[in-house]
Amino acid sequence: MNEPITYRHWALDLAPKAAPAVATTTVLILGRIWNANGAEHSVGNAALMVVLAAGAAAAGAFSSGNHVGGSVIAGTAFAASGGLALAGVAGYADGLSLPILLWALATTVAYGLAARYWRTDRRETVTFERQTLGRREDHAHVERVEALRAGAQIEVARSGAAYAEQLANALITRAALPGFNQQAITDAGLPELPPAERKDW
């Protein structure tokens, strides 16, 4: 019933919170590296990123409108579309102002969407912990009742054994008294012990 208390490292709690910022920052850095390697003002590269971003957005819209598609697939497709758009702007633009503006916007949107899932996950975790605690309390109650019942049965058995021992000691003590005559007791009209229980004192 008593389980060891474990503490999570602070980095494990911080890692999911930092994931959206790390993802958007990585896309921004890769876009600027791409810009430095010839993507600036490249119409073909810009067209490629537009087509990829539009395709990912279309896949997300189709997945969210379809009964077969799940929210995870739609969210992943929309996130890929936003990442491709950010990478395209970061790679095509001249300065840093527009890419940083889009990076800040994308990071804010990512945190807004993630906060919703974090709240849902936290609510499910709290519900699970409450149900687990309730089940543990029920099992602990059953264990306590069974322990009390077993203790009562042990005490009854002990008292029965003690009574039998006292009865045997009384019979031995009575037989050891001077002048005790089993035949005289039988002749007085007292019932005779059955053969299985009769003993010669």
Side-chain angles (χ1 to χ4, degrees):
M1 291 189 302
N2 295 327
E3 295 184 356
I5 299 174
T6 58
Y7 294 99
R8 288 168 54 95
H9 195 270
W10 60 269
L12 295 176
D13 294 329
L14 184 63
K17 309 297 185 197
V22 170
T24 54
T25 303
T26 302
V27 171
L28 177 64
I29 291 170
L30 292 175
R32 292 315 291 174
I33 292 172
W34 188 31
N35 176 279
N37 289 308
E40 186 176 355
H41 297 299
S42 173
V43 177
N45 290 334
L48 175 65
M49 296 308 287
V50 168
V51 169
L52 291 175
F62 177 75
S63 178
S64 63
N66 190 0
H67 294 293
V68 179
S71 61
V72 175
I73 297 174
T76 303
F78 285 128
S81 175
L84 289 168
L86 176 60
V89 171
Y92 187 80
D94 286 334
L96 281 173
S97 58
L98 182 59
I100 288 177
L101 177 63
L102 286 179
W103 170 82
L105 179 63
T107 303
T108 304
V109 170
Y111 272 108
L113 294 174
R116 174 185 170 196
Y117 290 104
W118 290 337
R119 283 195 303 270
T120 303
D121 183 61
R122 178 64 183 160
R123 192 178 304 118
E124 291 175 354
T125 302
V126 169
T127 302
F128 175 75
E129 288 176 353
R130 287 178 181 167
Q131 291 175 351
T132 303
L133 184 61
R135 285 194 297 269
R136 285 179 183 167
E137 290 295 329
D138 291 340
H139 290 308
H141 175 70
V142 171
E143 288 178 2
R144 285 193 292 268
V145 169
E146 290 300 324
L148 290 173
R149 183 176 299 157
Q153 291 176 353
I154 290 171
E155 289 300 322
V156 168
R158 283 178 180 171
S159 62
Y163 173 74
E165 183 179 357
Q166 291 173 359
L167 180 60
N169 289 333
L171 292 174
I172 291 171
T173 305
R174 185 183 71 172
L177 291 175
F180 176 74
N181 187 356
Q182 178 69 31
Q183 189 61 37
I185 295 176
T186 304
D187 293 341
L190 295 175
E192 185 179 356
L193 290 173
E197 299 180 4
R198 184 174 180 180
K199 295 182 182 179
D200 293 326
W201 301 100

